[in-house]
PDB file of all heavy atoms in Angstrom:
ATOM      1  N   LEU A   9      68.596  53.279  80.102  1.00 70.00           N
ATOM      2  CA  LEU A   9      69.756  54.011  79.704  1.00 70.00           C
ATOM      3  C   LEU A   9      70.986  53.163  79.891  1.00 70.00           C
ATOM      4  O   LEU A   9      71.208  52.568  80.943  1.00 70.00           O
ATOM      5  CB  LEU A   9      69.879  55.331  80.507  1.00 70.00           C
ATOM      6  CG  LEU A   9      68.770  56.338  80.298  1.00 70.00           C
ATOM      7  CD1 LEU A   9      68.987  57.525  81.200  1.00 70.00           C
ATOM      8  CD2 LEU A   9      68.678  56.805  78.824  1.00 70.00           C
ATOM      9  N   THR A  10      71.782  53.162  78.849  1.00 71.00           N
ATOM     10  CA  THR A  10      73.112  52.468  78.956  1.00 71.00           C
ATOM     11  C   THR A  10      74.044  53.220  79.879  1.00 71.00           C
ATOM     12  O   THR A  10      73.823  54.416  80.137  1.00 71.00           O
ATOM     13  CB  THR A  10      73.702  52.305  77.581  1.00 71.00           C
ATOM     14  OG1 THR A  10      74.043  53.558  77.056  1.00 71.00           O
ATOM     15  CG2 THR A  10      72.795  51.479  76.680  1.00 71.00           C
ATOM     16  N   TYR A  11      75.166  52.598  80.266  1.00 67.00           N
ATOM     17  CA  TYR A  11      76.054  53.315  81.185  1.00 67.00           C
ATOM     18  C   TYR A  11      76.668  54.433  80.449  1.00 67.00           C
ATOM     19  O   TYR A  11      76.963  55.448  80.994  1.00 67.00           O
ATOM     20  CB  TYR A  11      77.172  52.249  81.545  1.00 67.00           C
ATOM     21  CG  TYR A  11      78.266  52.894  82.421  1.00 67.00           C
ATOM     22  CD1 TYR A  11      78.034  53.101  83.737  1.00 67.00           C
ATOM     23  CD2 TYR A  11      79.491  53.240  81.840  1.00 67.00           C
ATOM     24  CE1 TYR A  11      79.064  53.660  84.523  1.00 67.00           C
ATOM     25  CE2 TYR A  11      80.509  53.842  82.607  1.00 67.00           C
ATOM     26  CZ  TYR A  11      80.290  53.963  83.964  1.00 67.00           C
ATOM     27  OH  TYR A  11      81.261  54.597  84.761  1.00 67.00           O
ATOM     28  N   HIS A  12      76.981  54.299  79.121  1.00 65.00           N
ATOM     29  CA  HIS A  12      77.550  55.335  78.297  1.00 65.00           C
ATOM     30  C   HIS A  12      76.620  56.604  78.301  1.00 65.00           C
ATOM     31  O   HIS A  12      77.058  57.691  78.590  1.00 65.00           O
ATOM     32  CB  HIS A  12      77.734  54.857  76.880  1.00 65.00           C
ATOM     33  CG  HIS A  12      77.788  55.953  75.872  1.00 65.00           C
ATOM     34  ND1 HIS A  12      77.048  56.107  74.805  1.00 65.00           N
ATOM     35  CD2 HIS A  12      78.573  57.132  75.913  1.00 65.00           C
ATOM     36  CE1 HIS A  12      77.388  57.158  74.063  1.00 65.00           C
ATOM     37  NE2 HIS A  12      78.284  57.820  74.707  1.00 65.00           N
ATOM     38  N   ARG A  13      75.260  56.393  78.166  1.00 73.00           N
ATOM     39  CA  ARG A  13      74.331  57.515  78.113  1.00 73.00           C
ATOM     40  C   ARG A  13      74.238  58.157  79.491  1.00 73.00           C
ATOM     41  O   ARG A  13      74.151  59.327  79.621  1.00 73.00           O
ATOM     42  CB  ARG A  13      73.015  57.041  77.630  1.00 73.00           C
ATOM     43  CG  ARG A  13      73.023  56.634  76.139  1.00 73.00           C
ATOM     44  CD  ARG A  13      71.706  56.136  75.704  1.00 73.00           C
ATOM     45  NE  ARG A  13      71.739  55.814  74.291  1.00 73.00           N
ATOM     46  CZ  ARG A  13      70.645  55.309  73.644  1.00 73.00           C
ATOM     47  NH1 ARG A  13      69.482  55.111  74.305  1.00 73.00           N
ATOM     48  NH2 ARG A  13      70.740  55.021  72.373  1.00 73.00           N
ATOM     49  N   ARG A  14      74.194  57.321  80.595  1.00 76.00           N
ATOM     50  CA  ARG A  14      74.102  57.842  81.929  1.00 76.00           C
ATOM     51  C   ARG A  14      75.346  58.707  82.244  1.00 76.00           C
ATOM     52  O   ARG A  14      75.250  59.741  82.778  1.00 76.00           O
ATOM     53  CB  ARG A  14      73.937  56.767  82.954  1.00 76.00           C
ATOM     54  CG  ARG A  14      72.641  56.032  82.899  1.00 76.00           C
ATOM     55  CD  ARG A  14      72.276  55.281  84.121  1.00 76.00           C
ATOM     56  NE  ARG A  14      73.358  54.370  84.522  1.00 76.00           N
ATOM     57  CZ  ARG A  14      73.476  53.161  84.187  1.00 76.00           C
ATOM     58  NH1 ARG A  14      72.505  52.594  83.330  1.00 76.00           N
ATOM     59  NH2 ARG A  14      74.481  52.330  84.577  1.00 76.00           N
ATOM     60  N   LEU A  15      76.514  58.200  81.864  1.00 74.00           N
ATOM     61  CA  LEU A  15      77.714  58.914  82.016  1.00 74.00           C
ATOM     62  C   LEU A  15      77.800  60.244  81.262  1.00 74.00           C
ATOM     63  O   LEU A  15      78.204  61.209  81.752  1.00 74.00           O
ATOM     64  CB  LEU A  15      78.942  58.000  81.631  1.00 74.00           C
ATOM     65  CG  LEU A  15      80.356  58.498  82.094  1.00 74.00           C
ATOM     66  CD1 LEU A  15      80.473  58.608  83.528  1.00 74.00           C
ATOM     67  CD2 LEU A  15      81.403  57.541  81.565  1.00 74.00           C
ATOM     68  N   PHE A  16      77.321  60.146  79.975  1.00 75.00           N
ATOM     69  CA  PHE A  16      77.314  61.303  79.146  1.00 75.00           C
ATOM     70  C   PHE A  16      76.330  62.351  79.777  1.00 75.00           C
ATOM     71  O   PHE A  16      76.632  63.585  79.773  1.00 75.00           O
ATOM     72  CB  PHE A  16      76.885  60.922  77.745  1.00 75.00           C
ATOM     73  CG  PHE A  16      76.755  62.118  76.783  1.00 75.00           C
ATOM     74  CD1 PHE A  16      77.913  62.840  76.462  1.00 75.00           C
ATOM     75  CD2 PHE A  16      75.532  62.565  76.227  1.00 75.00           C
ATOM     76  CE1 PHE A  16      77.831  63.894  75.571  1.00 75.00           C
ATOM     77  CE2 PHE A  16      75.490  63.606  75.443  1.00 75.00           C
ATOM     78  CZ  PHE A  16      76.591  64.318  75.088  1.00 75.00           C
ATOM     79  N   ILE A  17      75.166  61.946  80.161  1.00 80.00           N
ATOM     80  CA  ILE A  17      74.215  62.884  80.736  1.00 80.00           C
ATOM     81  C   ILE A  17      74.760  63.514  81.964  1.00 80.00           C
ATOM     82  O   ILE A  17      74.581  64.727  82.268  1.00 80.00           O
ATOM     83  CB  ILE A  17      72.852  62.115  81.119  1.00 80.00           C
ATOM     84  CG1 ILE A  17      72.105  61.712  79.798  1.00 80.00           C
ATOM     85  CG2 ILE A  17      71.922  63.000  81.971  1.00 80.00           C
ATOM     86  CD1 ILE A  17      70.906  60.911  79.989  1.00 80.00           C
ATOM     87  N   GLY A  18      75.430  62.674  82.820  1.00 77.00           N
ATOM     88  CA  GLY A  18      76.083  63.341  84.010  1.00 77.00           C
ATOM     89  C   GLY A  18      77.115  64.363  83.653  1.00 77.00           C
ATOM     90  O   GLY A  18      77.225  65.326  84.317  1.00 77.00           O
ATOM     91  N   LEU A  19      77.945  64.006  82.555  1.00 76.00           N
ATOM     92  CA  LEU A  19      78.987  64.966  82.159  1.00 76.00           C
ATOM     93  C   LEU A  19      78.329  66.239  81.613  1.00 76.00           C
ATOM     94  O   LEU A  19      78.786  67.305  81.900  1.00 76.00           O
ATOM     95  CB  LEU A  19      79.868  64.335  81.034  1.00 76.00           C
ATOM     96  CG  LEU A  19      80.916  65.234  80.501  1.00 76.00           C
ATOM     97  CD1 LEU A  19      81.885  65.588  81.529  1.00 76.00           C
ATOM     98  CD2 LEU A  19      81.639  64.479  79.370  1.00 76.00           C
ATOM     99  N   VAL A  20      77.259  66.123  80.791  1.00 79.00           N
ATOM    100  CA  VAL A  20      76.562  67.229  80.279  1.00 79.00           C
ATOM    101  C   VAL A  20      75.948  68.175  81.407  1.00 79.00           C
ATOM    102  O   VAL A  20      76.081  69.401  81.417  1.00 79.00           O
ATOM    103  CB  VAL A  20      75.431  66.806  79.308  1.00 79.00           C
ATOM    104  CG1 VAL A  20      74.560  68.011  78.942  1.00 79.00           C
ATOM    105  CG2 VAL A  20      76.028  66.280  78.042  1.00 79.00           C
ATOM    106  N   THR A  21      75.319  67.515  82.383  1.00 81.00           N
ATOM    107  CA  THR A  21      74.774  68.203  83.575  1.00 81.00           C
ATOM    108  C   THR A  21      75.885  68.921  84.310  1.00 81.00           C
ATOM    109  O   THR A  21      75.736  70.057  84.602  1.00 81.00           O
ATOM    110  CB  THR A  21      74.089  67.154  84.475  1.00 81.00           C
ATOM    111  OG1 THR A  21      73.056  66.455  83.739  1.00 81.00           O
ATOM    112  CG2 THR A  21      73.415  67.905  85.610  1.00 81.00           C
ATOM    113  N   TYR A  22      77.034  68.212  84.565  1.00 80.00           N
ATOM    114  CA  TYR A  22      78.163  68.860  85.185  1.00 80.00           C
ATOM    115  C   TYR A  22      78.602  70.100  84.453  1.00 80.00           C
ATOM    116  O   TYR A  22      78.892  71.170  84.982  1.00 80.00           O
ATOM    117  CB  TYR A  22      79.203  67.875  85.408  1.00 80.00           C
ATOM    118  CG  TYR A  22      80.527  68.471  85.841  1.00 80.00           C
ATOM    119  CD1 TYR A  22      80.730  68.756  87.190  1.00 80.00           C
ATOM    120  CD2 TYR A  22      81.635  68.685  84.970  1.00 80.00           C
ATOM    121  CE1 TYR A  22      81.947  69.292  87.670  1.00 80.00           C
ATOM    122  CE2 TYR A  22      82.784  69.239  85.399  1.00 80.00           C
ATOM    123  CZ  TYR A  22      83.018  69.599  86.725  1.00 80.00           C
ATOM    124  OH  TYR A  22      84.113  70.123  87.221  1.00 80.00           O
ATOM    125  N   SER A  23      78.761  69.945  83.082  1.00 78.00           N
ATOM    126  CA  SER A  23      79.222  71.085  82.226  1.00 78.00           C
ATOM    127  C   SER A  23      78.222  72.259  82.279  1.00 78.00           C
ATOM    128  O   SER A  23      78.628  73.369  82.365  1.00 78.00           O
ATOM    129  CB  SER A  23      79.444  70.613  80.802  1.00 78.00           C
ATOM    130  OG  SER A  23      80.380  69.536  80.794  1.00 78.00           O
ATOM    131  N   LEU A  24      76.913  71.899  82.201  1.00 79.00           N
ATOM    132  CA  LEU A  24      75.924  72.989  82.243  1.00 79.00           C
ATOM    133  C   LEU A  24      75.939  73.666  83.601  1.00 79.00           C
ATOM    134  O   LEU A  24      75.818  74.962  83.627  1.00 79.00           O
ATOM    135  CB  LEU A  24      74.559  72.397  81.949  1.00 79.00           C
ATOM    136  CG  LEU A  24      74.422  71.921  80.482  1.00 79.00           C
ATOM    137  CD1 LEU A  24      72.941  71.303  80.317  1.00 79.00           C
ATOM    138  CD2 LEU A  24      74.544  73.052  79.499  1.00 79.00           C
ATOM    139  N   VAL A  25      76.080  72.934  84.700  1.00 83.00           N
ATOM    140  CA  VAL A  25      76.068  73.537  86.049  1.00 83.00           C
ATOM    141  C   VAL A  25      77.282  74.434  86.140  1.00 83.00           C
ATOM    142  O   VAL A  25      77.308  75.563  86.663  1.00 83.00           O
ATOM    143  CB  VAL A  25      76.056  72.476  87.103  1.00 83.00           C
ATOM    144  CG1 VAL A  25      76.316  73.118  88.441  1.00 83.00           C
ATOM    145  CG2 VAL A  25      74.689  71.832  87.100  1.00 83.00           C
ATOM    146  N   LEU A  26      78.435  73.900  85.651  1.00 80.00           N
ATOM    147  CA  LEU A  26      79.649  74.694  85.723  1.00 80.00           C
ATOM    148  C   LEU A  26      79.625  75.951  84.923  1.00 80.00           C
ATOM    149  O   LEU A  26      79.927  77.059  85.332  1.00 80.00           O
ATOM    150  CB  LEU A  26      80.891  73.841  85.283  1.00 80.00           C
ATOM    151  CG  LEU A  26      82.240  74.437  85.317  1.00 80.00           C
ATOM    152  CD1 LEU A  26      82.609  74.697  86.755  1.00 80.00           C
ATOM    153  CD2 LEU A  26      83.271  73.566  84.755  1.00 80.00           C
ATOM    154  N   MET A  27      79.036  75.816  83.664  1.00 78.00           N
ATOM    155  CA  MET A  27      78.899  76.969  82.821  1.00 78.00           C
ATOM    156  C   MET A  27      77.935  77.961  83.419  1.00 78.00           C
ATOM    157  O   MET A  27      78.072  79.240  83.323  1.00 78.00           O
ATOM    158  CB  MET A  27      78.374  76.515  81.466  1.00 78.00           C
ATOM    159  CG  MET A  27      78.478  77.618  80.354  1.00 78.00           C
ATOM    160  SD  MET A  27      76.981  78.673  80.309  1.00 78.00           S
ATOM    161  CE  MET A  27      75.790  77.531  79.630  1.00 78.00           C
ATOM    162  N   GLY A  28      76.790  77.450  84.028  1.00 78.00           N
ATOM    163  CA  GLY A  28      75.873  78.358  84.640  1.00 78.00           C
ATOM    164  C   GLY A  28      76.464  79.089  85.759  1.00 78.00           C
ATOM    165  O   GLY A  28      76.187  80.293  85.959  1.00 78.00           O
ATOM    166  N   CYS A  29      77.212  78.384  86.653  1.00 82.00           N
ATOM    167  CA  CYS A  29      77.875  79.115  87.732  1.00 82.00           C
ATOM    168  C   CYS A  29      78.843  80.196  87.270  1.00 82.00           C
ATOM    169  O   CYS A  29      78.760  81.342  87.820  1.00 82.00           O
ATOM    170  CB  CYS A  29      78.674  78.084  88.648  1.00 82.00           C
ATOM    171  SG  CYS A  29      77.574  76.949  89.475  1.00 82.00           S
ATOM    172  N   PHE A  30      79.616  79.938  86.223  1.00 78.00           N
ATOM    173  CA  PHE A  30      80.508  80.943  85.668  1.00 78.00           C
ATOM    174  C   PHE A  30      79.691  82.120  85.057  1.00 78.00           C
ATOM    175  O   PHE A  30      80.037  83.236  85.200  1.00 78.00           O
ATOM    176  CB  PHE A  30      81.386  80.264  84.649  1.00 78.00           C
ATOM    177  CG  PHE A  30      82.719  79.771  85.184  1.00 78.00           C
ATOM    178  CD1 PHE A  30      82.873  78.323  85.186  1.00 78.00           C
ATOM    179  CD2 PHE A  30      83.702  80.576  85.604  1.00 78.00           C
ATOM    180  CE1 PHE A  30      84.047  77.862  85.753  1.00 78.00           C
ATOM    181  CE2 PHE A  30      84.853  80.053  86.146  1.00 78.00           C
ATOM    182  CZ  PHE A  30      85.031  78.671  86.153  1.00 78.00           C
ATOM    183  N   ALA A  31      78.588  81.785  84.372  1.00 74.00           N
ATOM    184  CA  ALA A  31      77.771  82.817  83.738  1.00 74.00           C
ATOM    185  C   ALA A  31      77.128  83.708  84.718  1.00 74.00           C
ATOM    186  O   ALA A  31      77.134  84.911  84.613  1.00 74.00           O
ATOM    187  CB  ALA A  31      76.640  82.114  82.861  1.00 74.00           C
ATOM    188  N   VAL A  32      76.608  83.115  85.859  1.00 77.00           N
ATOM    189  CA  VAL A  32      75.996  83.892  86.881  1.00 77.00           C
ATOM    190  C   VAL A  32      77.054  84.787  87.576  1.00 77.00           C
ATOM    191  O   VAL A  32      76.762  85.976  87.789  1.00 77.00           O
ATOM    192  CB  VAL A  32      75.307  82.952  87.900  1.00 77.00           C
ATOM    193  CG1 VAL A  32      74.817  83.763  89.064  1.00 77.00           C
ATOM    194  CG2 VAL A  32      74.077  82.284  87.269  1.00 77.00           C
TER     195      VAL A  32
END
Side-chain angles (χ1 to χ4, degrees):
L9 296 177
T10 62
Y11 179 80
H12 161 232
R13 292 180 179 177
R14 295 199 304 271
L15 190 62
F16 178 66
I17 291 173
L19 179 62
V20 170
T21 303
Y22 170 79
S23 300
L24 291 177
V25 170
L26 185 63
M27 191 274 288
C29 291
F30 273 109
V32 170

